Amino acid sequence: MGKPTGFLEYTREIAPDVSPLMRIHHWQEFHTPLPDGKLREQTARCMDCGTPFCHTGNTINHMASGCPINNLIPEWNDLVYRGLWKEALDRLHKTNNFPEFTGRVCPAPCEGACVLGIHNPPVTIKNIEHAIIDKGWEEGWVVAAPPATRTGKTVAIVGSGPAGLSAAAQLNKAGHLVTVYERADRPGGLLMYGIPNMKLEKEAVVLRRIQLLEQEGVRFICNTEIGKDLPAATLTQDYDAVVLCTGATRPRDLPIEGRDAQGIYFAMEFLTKNTQAVIDPTQNGQVISAAGKDVVIIGGGDTGTDCVGTSIRHGCTSLTQLEIMPKPPEERAANNPWPEWPKVYRMDYGQEEAAAKFGDDPRAYLCTATKFESDDSGHVKAVHVVDVAWEKDESGRFQLQHVAGSERVIPTQLVLLAMGFLGPEQPLIDALGLEQDGRSNIQAEFEQYTTSIPGVFAAGDCRRGQSLVVWAFNEGRGVARECDRYLMGHTDLP
């Protein structure tokens, strides 16, 4: 590496974010960059570790360990250290079609598997990736590169989220004519409407990359839902291959007493309508507003955090987030060794903002809702909750038990359900007659992606279930490779 002793000389450092009490008044991104000199020091912390785990992309104990798209992290760290930014960008693009997305929204399993992280804070891999691609755009190095020749083969991709976009980029690179169908009014899927603007800017970041894909020859058709606006059979008739990247958009519900009350929404509906209004202020009338309300968010994860940050920017009066799992430890537990993803207590941006505004982390751990209470007009006015404990039954499985005497009532006028997703929506699967696995996902083997219908492939969350954006990029690239092999009899795609 550029400086073999760098990890001994420099400590982990990231640029301070805009303060929580300032950033909650706008919808812009709030991360600030480190100066180039400081970034060089951070890349110098990348050890000559012999066997780097940061880019392995393994799954250990059902969690990602290392980069799922196998980013060449030690290589571009070394190049940045030596001031070779353009070469670092070229290395980054070899494995990652959209580093400006992962550099912003990926939880960085690479850092969880960093060898330096065994005994010191890990290398700031995510920040360095972010800096490389941002400099690439600023310097004009990221330009359209249409394929030199076309194969004449046509591919339809259903869904323009992370998997669909990466599949489109790779298949277009191979020379195929790619058409992407999206039921929303703008392409991007989860990247456009599932992630708030302050976390991933839409006009400046997402649409910029989509416009580049269009310049390279990818065609996007929006406001078109397959099976509703266009018969599913049309795809198999009109295209040489079809790739399904529809995501896992069927939300998990909470069927307890009072669920039919007004003012209870799925998180994605809340986030989508808000982002639509941020992009197009004429949509403000459609926003589900948290302004002046006591908000209860049921569920954690990234979606729950995004609901926290959005509610605070609306101007909510109070905020409580219910977490059914226990509070993680401050440091790795003995049963969570490196290089597993470290399951430790941390506050994401939303919780930081809630703590700054209301005085504490809004999460109530080991707590669940038992009943929604309505007022005379049928609108939710309170959530009845109870503390829980996870206890093993006779077979050794953990079962949820209510803690006697812990019942209490939380006043609320807005409840957001952020409890994850159950799988893909059913109509398109039924229309094509696709086989499904035991979890209702489209049946297709990992790294093969072939469904029960020849020429129809599936990738991303609709195949693997709810997962990380970076796994969707992995599968989008993988399905492009196998689709290209199906069309041409061989493939040069990685």
Side-chain angles (χ1 to χ4, degrees):
M1 304 305 297
K3 191 173 182 62
T5 60
F7 72 98
L8 298 172
E9 299 174 30
Y10 305 115
T11 58
R12 178 182 171 99
E13 184 178 355
I14 58 175
D17 292 335
V18 175
S19 70
L21 291 179
M22 290 183 63
R23 69 194 191 220
I24 61 175
H25 297 293
H26 62 73
W27 299 98
Q28 283 74 52
E29 292 183 6
F30 52 83
H31 298 299
T32 59
L34 274 178
D36 285 2
K38 287 288 187 180
L39 276 167
R40 185 170 182 266
E41 291 179 359
Q42 292 306 300
T43 60
R45 296 185 71 239
C46 186
M47 305 167 66
D48 187 9
C49 57
T51 304
F53 282 71
C54 55
H55 64 178
T56 53
N58 293 320
T59 299
I60 304 176
N61 199 16
H62 308 292
M63 297 177 292
S65 174
C67 178
I69 50 177
N70 309 120
N71 276 339
L72 304 172
I73 295 163
E75 296 184 30
W76 42 256
N77 275 338
D78 180 56
L79 290 166
V80 171
Y81 177 80
R82 293 191 280 139
L84 302 174
W85 286 86
K86 191 173 187 300
E87 289 82 353
L89 178 65
D90 292 340
R91 268 302 195 228
L92 183 52
H93 269 147
K94 280 186 178 296
T95 57
N96 191 344
N97 299 91
F98 313 114
E100 65 268 42
F101 301 159
T102 51
R104 286 167 165 83
V105 305
C106 181
C110 52
E111 295 186 18
C114 173
V115 172
L116 180 58
I118 297 174
H119 51 79
N120 273 302
V123 176
T124 58
I125 299 169
K126 179 177 175 177
N127 291 63
I128 296 165
E129 176 183 8
H130 189 167
I132 293 170
I133 184 59
D134 279 7
K135 182 176 283 289
W137 283 104
E138 291 165 7
E139 297 292 337
W141 298 332
V142 184
V143 295
T149 59
R150 290 288 182 184
T151 65
K153 301 291 186 179
T154 58
V155 182
I157 297 177
V158 183
S160 64
L165 288 181
S166 54
Q170 292 294 97
L171 286 166
N172 182 70
K173 185 182 296 184
H176 307 307
L177 297 168
V178 179
T179 301
V180 182
Y181 290 92
E182 170 57 53
R183 66 182 178 183
D185 61 341
R186 292 177 175 86
L190 173 75
L191 299 167
M192 178 58 65
Y193 287 133
I195 300 173
N197 199 75
M198 63 277 193
K199 198 169 172 181
L200 179 63
E201 287 194 354
K202 311 310 171 186
E203 296 284 351
V205 179
V206 180
L207 290 177
R208 175 181 62 181
R209 179 63 78 164
I210 288 171
Q211 289 164 1
L212 191 75
L213 289 173
E214 289 178 321
Q215 294 169 21
E216 292 177 335
V218 177
R219 181 186 179 208
F220 291 93
I221 299 179
C222 295
N223 294 305
T224 303
E225 183 172 354
I226 305 302
K228 181 179 178 182
D229 303 305
L230 185 70
T234 301
L235 301 183
T236 53
Q237 293 168 2
D238 294 353
Y239 292 90
D240 296 309
V242 178
V243 178
L244 304 178
C245 299
T246 57
T249 52
R250 187 158 50 91
R252 187 186 304 278
D253 207 344
L254 185 60
I256 59 177
E257 183 180 347
R259 173 62 181 87
D260 58 349
Q262 298 173 37
I264 303 173
Y265 300 93
F266 289 117
M268 204 51 64
E269 181 183 4
F270 173 72
L271 295 173
T272 295
K273 289 185 175 180
N274 180 78
T275 299
Q276 288 172 332
V278 170
I279 298 172
D280 181 3
T282 64
Q283 301 291 318
N284 271 333
Q286 303 298 317
V287 170
I288 301 168
S289 179
K293 297 176 181 176
D294 301 301
V295 179
V296 173
I297 298 164
I298 302 177
D302 289 339
T303 303
T305 294
D306 292 339
C307 288
V308 172
T310 300
S311 297
I312 289 175
R313 281 163 178 75
H314 284 176
C316 62
T317 301
S318 70
L319 192 144
T320 304
Q321 186 178 10
L322 306 184
E323 284 267 19
I324 202 168
M325 299 304 292
K327 183 179 179 179
E330 296 288 340
E331 298 181 354
R332 282 184 187 265
N335 62 354
N336 177 218
W338 177 91
E340 288 184 2
W341 171 251
K343 295 184 288 187
V344 296
Y345 174 77
R346 56 173 68 85
M347 284 204 292
D348 208 332
Y349 79 98
Q351 287 80 33
E352 288 179 351
E353 293 164 359
K357 183 172 182 179
F358 299 120
D360 201 1
D361 187 330
R363 289 171 289 190
Y365 290 96
L366 288 172
C367 184
T368 190
T370 58
K371 174 185 174 182
F372 297 118
E373 185 179 344
S374 304
D375 59 21
D376 293 339
S377 65
H379 196 282
V380 66
K381 71 172 186 179
V383 180
H384 293 239
V385 303
V386 65
D387 291 340
V388 298
W390 292 94
E391 299 177 0
K392 288 185 178 181
D393 60 17
E394 295 178 354
S395 64
R397 295 181 179 179
F398 281 101
Q399 298 292 331
L400 192 67
Q401 304 293 334
H402 290 185
V403 177
S406 65
E407 298 85 357
R408 57 196 182 277
V409 179
I410 303 175
T412 183
Q413 301 82 47
L414 177 63
V415 176
L416 303 172
L417 305 179
M419 302 181 298
F421 301 87
L422 297 174
E425 296 174 33
Q426 198 67 31
L428 178 58
I429 296 173
D430 291 340
L432 290 172
L434 295 168
E435 292 182 5
Q436 295 172 264
D437 64 18
R439 297 184 298 149
S440 82
N441 300 317
I442 298 173
Q443 181 66 54
E445 292 298 320
F446 180 54
E447 296 190 337
Q448 296 180 14
Y449 308 104
T450 52
T451 71
S452 54
I453 300 176
V456 177
F457 299 81
D461 287 5
C462 69
R463 190 207 68 82
R464 70 180 293 126
Q466 178 188 358
S467 190
L468 303 177
V469 165
V470 70
W471 272 118
F473 287 147
N474 170 296
E475 297 220 349
R477 291 172 64 89
V479 76
R481 179 187 64 243
E482 297 312 310
C483 183
D484 182 46
R485 194 191 313 276
Y486 166 81
L487 292 171
M488 306 302 293
H490 60 88
T491 184
D492 293 324
L493 292 177

